[in-house]
Amino acid sequence: MTILIKNGQIITASDNYTADILIEGETIKAIGKNMAVQVDHLIDATGMLVFPGGIDPHVHLSMPFMGTFSCDDYTTGTRAALFGGTTTVIDFILQKQGNSLRSAFEEWSGRATGNAIGDYSFHMAVTDFNDSTKAEIKEMIEEGITSFKTFMAYKGALMIDDRQMIGLMDEVKQKGGMVTVHATNGDMIDYLVQKHRSEGKLSPLYHYLSQPEVTEAEASERFTDMTNYTGCPGYIVHLTCEGALNAVRNATRRNQKVFVETCIQYLVLDASLYEQDFDGAKWVMSPPLREKKDQVTLWAGINQGLVQVVGTDHCPFKWEQKLMGKDDFSKIPNGHPAIEHRMELLFSEGVNKAKISMNKYVEVTSTNAAKIFGMFPRKGTIAVDADADILIFDPDAKHTISVNTHHMNTDYSAYEGWEVTGKVKTVLLRGNVVIDDDKCLVDKGYGQFVKRNKVKGFI
Ligand code: URP
Ligand code: ZN
Ligand code: ZN
């Protein structure tokens, strides 16, 4: 199968030019001006932007969490991702405490294989670091799982202590991986949750008030200190606020590099959403939404190169699931649906409002994640020999986000009524048109596991 994409404005992390892209099989064969070749399928991209397919390195599909499961599975989740221009996701495997990494890997592979529509990879969340876990780190890296997620929060569930953290960092560093972190202080949060509950303060607002900025700033500082001491490559997931980014900024003063991801919600939504009764449960996530001043910090952090990635932390629950916490905010499953909206929202709010350049947009939605997590240059760019994962984007099309039109498996939208300028028109994944004009053209099983390379700790 050969495809020619004609006349699109190609945007990569570094370039912006108009040319044609010739695709043969799964990869890009050539890029050039006015190419005259016979192909099976011609796509006219005149007036369109042509981006590398999006990479969302932070999603939770069918994840067992807080007594339930996130409600997008590999089929619905990766399909919704494709509708939104994201061609590859990295999901989190959760080790069960007392069990092996291998058994968790097998469980997650079983869920994904034959069901994913878009490409996927895994981070391994280490929730129980002991001698046998230590012995499995090398094996996991050989399987292509080169990033190890840790939780400094969710005390009594997923959280590990600093002793485990430092042991894990030592081992991961030696074997060529990276440690990533949910950096908030689990003990402080646990104290505040119990305090609010005992005072009868049970609405979603108290989820927010139980995780003040200091809980994230403190843990981010501790994590950067530990990665600095061990020399292990480190990545902070879903960073939300000024205090936490300042911890990273401070680390740069001792010549340290820590990678930072924020998520689309922290750039465009704020904590005022918790001031409505139980409806605020739609945005109960950890860390919570923050203040306007934090949004300013995050946009600046992207432009300063301190924040390299914008993900979603897609962890969707239906309203019925959110109602588990109707009388107690601490029982509301944490997370919100966003996998489909990241590329369009960031374009509309970031590029269109002149907060970031188009090259920066590509960096943070695709290229940097590919580089940081060992998938570049196969993924994350438009170049000869790269996978033909391509997003053809209409920069002028306007639409309104709604539960009535989204493809995620939730019965509400966290972005209902948002007016967006810029829309996904056509998406190619490994040389096949998978989305065209709001139709998905491939079935479950099309998505493949992406085996990742060892990480370097620089990009
Ligand atoms: O609220 C969130 N973020 N839910 C998913 C789990 C996590 O902490 O990433
Ligand atoms: Zn988290
Ligand atoms: Zn998450």
Side-chain angles (χ1 to χ4, degrees), residues 150-155 158-162 165 181-187 189 218-224 226:
T150 57
F151 293 91
M152 295 169 92
Y154 301 122
K155 190 174 166 66
L158 304 170
M159 179 169 150
I160 60 169
D161 61 26
D162 291 349
M165 177 72 91
V181 69
H182 172 130
T184 57
N185 183 315
D187 282 309
I189 293 168
E218 185 282 326
S220 301
E221 180 110 32
R222 196 160 21 110
F223 179 78
T224 54
M226 288 190 281

Side-chain angles (χ1 to χ4, degrees), residues 9-17 50 358-359 362 381-382:
Q9 188 179 342
I10 299 171
I11 319 287
T12 67
S14 53
D15 296 312
N16 180 343
Y17 59 102
V50 180
M358 287 208 281
N359 300 113
V362 172
T381 193
I382 294 177

Side-chain angles (χ1 to χ4, degrees), residues 1 19 70 86 97 104 126 190 194 233 282 328 414 427 443 445 455:
M1 175 78 165
S70 59
T86 292
Q97 286 167 354
V126 176
D190 190 56
Q194 298 318 329
K282 287 176 188 163
D328 178 352
V427 180
D443 286 324
V455 300

